[in-house]
Amino acid sequence: MPTKKSYIVEINRGYCKKCGLCYWVCPAQTIIGGDYGRPEIPDQDKCIGCMQCERICPDFAINVVEKQEKDNNE
């Protein structure tokens, strides 16, 4: 039985200028606005992998990657 894919949202804080577009566009509310507009990710498991945050980020500060499941045969 196939398992649901899960994702990790990585934010490069050095590139981020806190514009707020990522949490404005996130349909799952994985990214939320924190102190001073800083994007925060309280629960990585909410991410559905739509990549909207990665696409809209003008600073290329966001990377969404699929979590790799461990193979039980190893």
Side-chain angles (χ1 to χ4, degrees):
M1 177 177 197
T3 59
K4 179 184 168 200
K5 291 183 181 182
S6 55
Y7 301 89
I8 296 173
V9 180
E10 300 169 342
I11 299 176
N12 183 326
R13 303 284 180 196
Y15 292 168
C16 177
K17 65 181 177 201
K18 304 176 195 111
C19 68
L21 290 173
C22 56
Y23 51 83
W24 180 76
V25 75
C26 182
Q29 296 181 332
T30 303
I31 305 173
I32 61 171
D35 292 339
Y36 305 106
R38 181 180 180 190
E40 299 292 336
I41 306 166
D43 186 3
Q44 289 278 3
D45 293 332
K46 284 183 162 185
C47 182
I48 59 173
C50 70
M51 312 283 269
Q52 293 300 316
C53 58
E54 186 175 319
R55 289 184 187 113
I56 203 166
C57 181
D59 303 311
F60 305 101
I62 300 177
N63 190 26
V64 178
V65 294
E66 185 178 345
K67 284 185 189 177
Q68 298 298 317
E69 298 294 327
K70 291 185 179 179
D71 190 1
N72 292 334
N73 295 332
E74 292 182 14

